[in-house]
Amino acid sequence: MSYPFKINSLEQYYEDYKNATDNPEAFWANVADNFYWRKKWDKVLDWNFSEPKVEWFAGAKLNITENCIDRHLEKFSDKPAIIWEPNNPDERTRVVTYARLHKRVCQVAQMLKNNGVKKGDRVCIYMGMVPELTYAVLGCARIGAIHSVIFGGFSAQSIADRLDDANADFIITCDGSYRGDKIIPLKDVIDNALVGNKTIKKVIVYTRTRTSVSMIKGRDVWWEDEMDIAEDQVEKNGVVSFPAEEMDAEDPLFILYTSGSTGKPKGVVHTCAGYMIWTTYTFVNMLNYNQGDIHFCTADIGWITGHSYIVYGPLAAGGTSLMFEGIPTFPNAGRFWDIIDKHQVNILYTAPTALRSLMSFGDAPLLGKNLSSLKTLGTVGEPINEEAWHWYDDNIGKNKCPIIDTWWQTETGGTLIANLAGITPSKPSWATLPMPGVQPIIVDEKGDEVTKLDDQGMIKGNLCIKAPWPGILRTTWGDHERCRLNYFATYPNLYFTGDGAMKDAEGNFRITGRVDDVLNISGHRIGTAEVENAINMHTGVVESAVVGYPHDIKGQGIYAFVIYNGHHGDENQRRQDISLTVAKIIGAIAKPDKIQFVSGLPKTRSGKIMRRILRKIAEGETENLGDTTTLLDPDVVAEISKGRV
Ligand code: PRX
């Protein structure tokens, strides 16, 4: 498959950027011509950011799975679509060709249909990183059901909240999943999430770990049994087929929950056509993907990175996507390098946290590993510090592979700002230039564009985007007003990213981090309000305030200031108990790294917590805490500062 929309030179980047800005309709229609449509669009783009309303390719009909699978069958039926590397290296690798993927996705679609799933139903997927997770995602898309994948680290309570918000009808899960030397009992977590649930009709359970599970008659069915039935229905005389549902360009494809500054995660909605085009276009261009390349994205499909750059982008491009079940440090810290060596991986796309963690093991895990197949290295999810960038460059890329720093968000569907491998220059810890179609601007607090360079030659402020690109979120599930308020109301007629940024005189962007109350822990987004709500549910806790602080490996750690008036145990015991409560309410990823017990919190006279002061204390700053005169009780600051943990 060739990619006529591939950018092959710096000149072409500037030309395409200009065309996509000046005439987006013509530009994206051209790109869209490279996909398979049941019917072409009536209008390429219709939008306003005030409602907001964004429609790309309105009137077009398609099914994304025909683009990700069927259209590749003629030429690539034997080509690996997915190479699956198990958690345990002694277990067999699985290679899923496009023909096999087609068959499995048809079977899943049939299985879902047999179990009563219809177009528009919400199907929650809570599985480990097994190929069946990809089949489940694509099986939903094939029949037009809306998938909502939930990361395997979220707790029963988090799942219950998401099922409720999405009014989900079905669940696909596993008995358990492997993570290093641990087994996560996924079905058991689902059972807990379902206590009191009234909407779920069926739970389909794939067997992975042979963990014993409870199966409720009439509700719970085994994947294997259902897939056997479906196999006979979709395969006749050696020919496999299951007709894909014809979808409107703007029909929802999936919901993915993500954290914001309120206590309640929001269901970001992406639609069929725009998302497909954006993920494919960015995948091919930023990573310099060429036919035959083996692409290894180390994310989990429970996050947007896995949706866009393990499943949809690579498969729509007819690529080969390597999917890894395990963790980078199991059975040892050389696992990524073993996988690259074994499968001759060409593209590695990973998170700075993983790099920092692997860096801390020194050179030994790299000894004897042949990494010469690598040609592009990527990072995503959080700012990359220069030390990690150079380690990646020297030790993994051997100074021969471009490193791309890709900035984007769950809401953006795919990358918005990144250097293009081998085409546009890289700059350590800078995301650099916007993709064609993306018009970022930096605004001040009032929303006015900052255009003047400061004395360091930079423009600094809040990062907004002026116009829609095909992959922008369309709404937040069940609450469009929330979408407007969160992203389009802070600055009229702009999409506000929630990130701060700086821009240099050449137009390169550097992301400086969130400017709202959202934390980025190991590249995972968690709202401070969510963590505070969870801590406040612990018996004895009166109030809490959570802030982020710099963490060597995770990028940011969670620091909680807690007012506690219970009597149980000593301080350490209480810390552990509170952490456990947070793990039960949200999931282990949200456990505070540090908990400091305090007698009061710095509040203004109107009762607002002054997080700025807490952030400074958490960062280790004892002087220069800023103006504390407006505080209700200024003495509390000295006490908190003294008791820092
Ligand atoms: O703060 C930015 C940070 O991650 C946030 C988005 O998180 P999420 O929706 O979970 O998506 C992560 C995967 C795309 C952003 O608002 N972020 C993401 N990529 C970068 C980044 N910060 C700095 N540099 C990046 N390359």
Side-chain angles (χ1 to χ4, degrees):
M1 196 179 168
S2 66
Y3 308 113
F5 49 81
K6 191 148 187 253
I7 300 169
N8 294 308
S9 66
L10 190 58
E11 296 69 47
Q12 193 194 338
Y13 163 74
Y14 283 113
E15 199 183 310
D16 286 2
Y17 188 85
K18 185 171 182 327
N19 289 337
T21 307
D22 294 349
N23 197 346
E25 298 209 30
F27 184 85
W28 292 108
N30 244 328
V31 175
D33 273 337
N34 296 286
F35 291 79
Y36 173 71
W37 304 90
R38 295 267 186 98
K39 173 184 172 284
K40 287 229 174 151
W41 47 91
D42 301 323
K43 182 152 178 50
V44 177
L45 173 62
D46 192 9
W47 70 286
N48 69 67
F49 275 173
S50 50
E51 290 176 53
K53 168 179 147 181
V54 178
E55 284 182 2
W56 282 95
F57 309 104
K61 304 274 184 199
L62 76 159
N63 186 288
I64 198 168
T65 68
E66 290 184 330
N67 282 279
C68 288
I69 310 171
D70 303 52
R71 68 172 172 148
H72 307 314
L73 291 176
E74 197 183 323
K75 282 202 186 136
F76 298 142
S77 67
D78 293 334
K79 179 183 167 168
I82 296 166
I83 297 174
W84 178 75
E85 176 69 21
N87 178 63
N88 184 337
D90 295 334
E91 201 185 325
R92 192 173 54 89
T93 292
R94 287 165 63 185
V95 176
V96 183
T97 62
Y98 272 95
R100 177 51 58 113
L101 181 65
H102 176 246
K103 176 168 172 182
R104 292 289 181 247
V105 170
C106 286
Q107 272 177 272
V108 172
Q110 181 71 53
M111 164 174 82
L112 293 173
K113 187 175 168 191
N114 293 346
N115 279 280
V117 184
K118 297 182 304 300
K119 177 178 178 179
D121 286 349
R122 272 81 53 221
V123 179
C124 158
I125 302 177
Y126 186 67
M127 299 174 87
M129 285 285 286
V130 284
E132 285 70 17
L133 164 55
T134 307
Y135 309 158
V137 162
L138 294 170
C140 287
R142 191 141 184 114
I143 65 166
I146 303 167
H147 58 76
S148 166
V149 184
I150 302 180
F151 173 62
F154 279 114
S155 70
Q157 182 65 54
S158 288
I159 298 168
D161 292 345
R162 286 159 171 76
L163 294 176
D164 199 33
D165 187 84
N167 242 306
D169 309 278
F170 298 89
I171 296 178
I172 308 177
T173 188
C174 298
D175 52 352
S177 70
Y178 293 114
R179 256 186 93 69
D181 55 9
K182 292 200 195 76
I183 290 179
I184 319 287
L186 297 178
K187 173 62 165 62
D188 195 46
V189 180
I190 287 290
D191 288 340
N192 290 332
L194 285 180
V195 174
N197 176 287
K198 298 220 164 42
T199 60
I200 294 297
K201 301 179 187 109
K202 282 275 171 71
V203 180
I204 300 174
V205 186
Y206 172 72
T207 310
R208 171 64 185 130
T209 54
R210 307 213 165 265
T211 306
S212 52
V213 295
S214 125
M215 293 290 282
I216 304 294
K217 194 186 290 168
R219 187 194 72 183
D220 300 350
V221 295
W222 293 109
W223 168 288
E224 294 76 10
D225 296 346
E226 299 297 310
M227 286 288 272
D228 278 353
I229 298 168
E231 186 168 21
D232 293 339
Q233 294 169 280
V234 300
E235 188 163 14
K236 296 266 164 4
N237 306 322
V239 179
V240 175
S241 87
F242 181 93
E245 185 76 30
E246 191 166 277
M247 305 293 284
D248 285 338
E250 284 296 338
D251 276 339
L253 174 64
F254 66 84
I255 307 171
L256 186 58
Y257 283 87
T258 190
S259 297
S261 42
T262 67
K264 194 171 162 256
K266 41 192 185 250
V268 168
V269 175
H270 285 288
T271 55
C272 296
Y275 175 80
M276 169 179 81
I277 284 164
W278 192 245
T279 52
T280 316
Y281 179 83
T282 50
F283 169 72
V284 167
N285 279 309
M286 69 187 191
L287 294 159
N288 182 20
Y289 189 84
N290 289 306
Q291 256 315 312
D293 284 348
I294 295 177
H295 161 72
F296 176 19
C297 167
T298 70
D300 191 290
I301 294 177
W303 307 106
I304 191 70
T305 307
H307 282 62
S308 301
Y309 298 122
I310 296 179
V311 182
Y312 287 111
L315 296 178
T320 299
S321 188
L322 194 148
M323 184 176 174
F324 174 41
E325 183 183 34
I327 57 171
T329 49
F330 180 82
N332 57 57
R335 189 67 195 279
F336 276 3
W337 324 129
D338 283 330
I339 294 174
I340 291 165
D341 191 343
K342 175 173 169 190
H343 298 288
Q344 295 289 290
V345 167
N346 306 108
I347 300 172
L348 175 64
Y349 189 40
T350 193
T353 291
L355 296 174
R356 286 189 294 262
S357 143
L358 294 174
M359 231 168 93
S360 70
F361 290 88
D363 296 341
L366 281 157
L367 289 179
K369 311 288 158 73
N370 182 356
L371 305 182
S372 60
S373 56
L374 286 172
K375 59 162 212 175
T376 300
L377 305 177
T379 74
V380 57
E382 49 182 323
I384 181 162
N385 48 314
E386 292 208 19
E387 194 192 352
W389 195 100
H390 286 294
W391 183 82
Y392 203 18
D393 189 29
D394 296 342
N395 295 281
I396 310 307
K398 318 280 186 209
N399 307 114
K400 283 197 271 218
C401 305
I403 297 184
I404 60 160
D405 179 348
T406 67
W407 170 81
W408 57 294
Q409 311 178 300
T410 304
E411 294 85 347
T412 69
T415 297
L416 296 198
I417 304 181
N419 49 314
L420 309 181
I423 303 289
T424 62
S426 63
K427 188 168 174 183
S429 83
W430 287 67
T432 74
L433 299 170
M435 301 293 300
V438 177
Q439 300 179 49
I441 60 166
I442 292 188
V443 301
D444 61 19
E445 289 298 323
K446 293 204 297 286
D448 294 327
E449 183 167 3
V450 187
T451 47
K452 235 177 102 211
L453 302 179
D454 66 10
D455 40 12
Q456 294 154 327
M458 298 291 166
I459 287 171
K460 291 190 192 128
N462 292 341
L463 182 61
C464 293
I465 318 284
K466 268 201 307 211
W469 59 98
I472 189 173
L473 87 161
R474 302 302 198 264
T475 188
T476 46
W477 182 258
D479 193 349
H480 193 62
E481 178 61 4
R482 193 164 177 214
C483 173
R484 189 184 71 81
L485 285 173
N486 262 290
Y487 306 106
F488 300 94
T490 314
Y491 305 115
N493 296 318
L494 294 174
Y495 167 80
F496 177 41
T497 64
D499 278 320
M502 56 170 108
K503 185 174 155 184
D504 68 11
E506 283 82 50
N508 291 303
F509 287 85
R510 177 184 198 162
I511 310 303
T512 49
R514 302 287 306 194
V515 293
D516 51 9
D517 291 322
V518 171
L519 306 176
N520 191 327
I521 313 298
S522 305
H524 301 148
R525 235 162 102 170
I526 298 168
T528 52
E530 265 176 277
V531 184
E532 286 165 6
N533 286 350
I535 294 175
N536 295 348
M537 286 178 77
H538 189 80
T539 302
V541 171
V542 178
E543 197 178 1
S544 64
V546 163
V547 296
Y549 72 99
H551 188 288
D552 284 349
I553 306 282
K554 297 174 168 189
Q556 251 187 334
I558 300 180
Y559 197 120
F561 298 88
V562 176
I563 306 176
Y564 180 86
N565 84 355
H567 302 284
H568 187 75
D570 60 15
E571 283 207 348
N572 274 336
Q573 174 84 56
R574 288 172 197 164
R575 285 194 181 97
Q576 282 171 23
D577 291 349
I578 290 172
S579 288
L580 203 58
T581 297
V582 173
K584 289 262 186 250
I585 303 291
I586 305 176
I589 48 170
K591 278 188 188 177
D593 298 275
K594 293 185 177 181
I595 296 178
Q596 178 180 347
F597 293 104
V598 296
S599 66
L601 292 167
K603 286 190 179 167
T604 60
R605 277 175 237 280
S606 59
K608 202 169 157 265
I609 296 174
M610 298 270 281
R611 282 164 197 285
R612 174 176 56 79
I613 295 176
L614 293 176
R615 233 174 269 131
K616 286 206 162 162
I617 295 175
E619 282 165 11
E621 176 89 53
T622 45
E623 320 276 306
N624 304 326
L625 292 174
D627 181 13
T628 55
T629 52
T630 55
L631 290 181
L632 198 58
D633 175 11
D635 294 344
V636 82
V637 175
E639 179 217 302
I640 298 175
S641 174
K642 244 185 31 226
R644 189 173 168 272
V645 288

